[in-house]
């Protein structure tokens, strides 16, 4: 593998800053995390988007959240015969091995993946739907959601509606995993659906009784 | 989807604290991130492990890193006909749409996924290799790596060697993606392989000339 | 004292969040608590265990409960000649200076201190009984209780029986303090024995007429 | 033990409220805490004072802090031959068995124990110094601190100075425990000294380099 480059110096410099400050001040915690292993309370599935930092929003430190991040925070349905399912593997590890008590799906505003899904499903992104795009295939997970909400009046509302629909889709798909269903029904795991507004800094939580997202 | 629960109150409380402090203090930046979109400089692929926070280690703020996290920071090889490839979709989005300049694979010590791979490949974890485990199937990505390093003397060294082999495997697999190869060869993208020691707070960077990881 | 470290930054961040929300919203109450002094209605003696939060369970706010926490919520017998008796001092302050109306002993399930007592008294923890362990010496307070209940059939039942015996032991020892006995007999103070089941969220209260704990 | 009374009905009512709301919403977490045991990150030693709630101030939930509370948040020096040392036992359990990474001493303003110490040491509280008072004997732990700071100009300043001196005394005494010293010197444990102003909602942290408390 001859193509790797050295770390850019601005990152080297910042890392050394972290070592001399945060690491040094919290050495005891990092050593314990290494020696005793992780015991995270929750798994969070959020988007890869650079603007979404759940640890910041929730004042969480190393060791608290087991975090899987993918495009548009999607969970595929249970498909035991499938190939490399990175998301399913992460869910299995969190619920089965780590026994997390909470599984949080964290959607967000301005989601590029959801925008791609709208473009694709409305016929405006042939490069996503022609079968050559991994993003296109991944966003097919949300096509049923798109079909449910596509008649929403204006584009901005459609975008937000589908972002929230993505959260509900993931929650619904999670319940198709037998080990998730078992853990939820026995009271050992609880699921939570969130949607974060990046610009306003607001947070909404899915209320299944009303089928709506409500400001936290 | 009737199973979602409200957000635990300690997280609600902490979120409100974030809103009144970090958000309020940085509102202009969050608004711009929402209005102008994200322009991350780098993509990072790291592990879901709760002890790995690349934003902390590199002093990165909202908007800097596009982050995909999966078990053991693995990238599958290019397989255009495959099903839901969350990792491949994330790489395509970062390189194709966001045009990141750096793609960093971040491995780490004490990796539970790598430990599972060793157990599975050495015949000590039938529950991972019997075809019913998503973690087992996912870690098959690292079986060739295991076969290359399995004769390493002691278990602790084997674990670390395979953690680093996982980083090199991901870098190698990345180069099988035509759009990654094009971007690397044209100088628009550089790849970087890192391995982080959680307890000591150390960081090592892959040096392709020597084929070793060197302290940053 | 050169060994103190700065507060970890995640706690600093959360504290600032508390200042801008809970504190700001309740400033008048905190100021009054500072200006007028505390007038708690009850003293609670509970375990140090991180899973026991009496303020949460009873919806109590700042100013309501004077709380002493030690291993296994034990009260030693009255021993006026002894050295530093932290528990006895706390009881004296609550009853004598603060004149609380209730004194609640709060036991709980899964108590590590009680488990240590069982291990020690059954000869399975020489490190606790060899005289070098503070935990061992502290748990000697419960040895008479262990001797009373040790013939309980199975280990799980023994653990719960001894957890409740610890509550009764503390109530009994409290009555050996002359100032507690005076206050109880004159009707100025009432004693209460509770046992909390952490996993089920249940609460049981000691009924002295039947000598049993009954679900609240 | 015939003197125990039923739980006051206002507490019964509140407990049922907690069961139906907080417990029900967080059942999965409470079950995990019961099944998997506690893994608290920090031990906190704070005062019994009803106005001091470290979990509130730090947005901490069940399972996060192992909390010992006594009068004036004092730690006695290491005395292996002594009798029931509740504080020493709690420290031993937290450091030895739970392997906490942080040990936080949390002092506070308006501390009644510290006020008693001043009264006693200045000869104005014979009932504390005549040998019959547990509070008096307990506060003897702080007499050397009083002697160091007693010439402070005015009473209000003396009170605050001695409250902070109590924190430093506890930190200093902690280091006389061999197992604490070992853990600190090997980087597995860090000590922190805090002082909280109840009325203003401020927090100060001990800086050993300057020997002063600084606003967080």
């Amino acid at each position: 593998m001859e193509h790797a480059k050295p770390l850019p110096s601005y990152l080297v410099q910042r890392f050394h800053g972290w070592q001399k400050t945060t690491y040094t001040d919290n050495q005891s915690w990092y050593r314990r995390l290494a020696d005793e292993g992780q015991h995270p309370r929750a798994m969070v599935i959020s988007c890869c988007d650079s603007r979404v930092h759940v640890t910041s929003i929730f004042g969480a430190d190393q060791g608290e959240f087991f975090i899987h991040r993918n495009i548009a925070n999607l969970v595929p349905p249970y498909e035991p015969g499938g190939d490399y399912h990175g998301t399913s593997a992460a869910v299995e590890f969190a619920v089965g091995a780590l026994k997390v008590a909470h599984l949080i799906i964290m959607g967000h505003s301005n989601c590029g993946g959801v925008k791609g899904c709208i473009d694709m499903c409305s016929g405006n992104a042939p490069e996503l739907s022609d079968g050559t795009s991994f993003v296109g295939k991944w966003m097919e997970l949300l096509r049923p959601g798109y079909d449910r909400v596509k008649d929403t009046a204006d584009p901005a509302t459609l975008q937000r509606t589908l972002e929230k629909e993505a959260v509900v889709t993931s929650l619904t798909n999670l319940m198709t995993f037998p080990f998730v269903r078992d853990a939820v029904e026995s009271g050992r795991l609880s699921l939570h659906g969130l949607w974060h507004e990046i610009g306003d800094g607001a947070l909404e939580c899915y209320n299944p009784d009303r089928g709506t997202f409500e400001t936290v």
Side-chain angles (χ1 to χ4, degrees), chain A residues 32-53:
Chain A
R32 168 162 150 185
L33 281 175
D35 293 347
E36 309 281 320
Q38 61 174 332
H39 300 280
R41 174 167 176 174
M43 176 185 196
V44 181
I45 298 178
S46 76
C47 188
C48 301
D49 192 300
S50 63
R51 298 166 293 184
V52 179
H53 280 194

Side-chain angles (χ1 to χ4, degrees), chain A residues 73-151:
Chain A
N73 35 272
L74 290 172
V75 177
Y78 179 66
E79 285 189 343
D83 279 339
Y84 310 132
H85 276 203
T87 300
S88 306
V91 171
E92 180 185 300
F93 194 82
V95 175
L98 297 174
K99 300 187 194 307
V100 296
H102 305 279
L103 208 167
I104 299 169
I105 306 291
M106 173 78 157
H108 70 100
S109 68
N110 313 85
C111 181
V114 168
K115 184 172 183 313
C117 181
I118 293 173
D119 292 346
M120 177 177 76
C121 296
S122 60
N124 294 314
E127 75 282 7
L128 291 177
S129 55
D130 68 1
T132 65
S133 162
F134 292 106
V135 174
K137 272 186 278 188
W138 180 251
M139 294 312 302
E140 286 291 340
L141 285 167
L142 193 52
R143 189 183 283 272
Y146 173 81
D147 289 337
R148 280 192 292 275
V149 306
K150 67 185 170 191
D151 294 330

Side-chain angles (χ1 to χ4, degrees), chain A residues 49-70:
Chain A
D49 192 300
S50 63
R51 298 166 293 184
V52 179
H53 280 194
V54 293
T55 49
S56 171
I57 288 172
F58 290 125
D61 202 21
Q62 257 94 334
E64 250 190 281
F65 293 152
F66 183 81
I67 303 176
H68 173 60
R69 296 178 68 168
N70 65 34

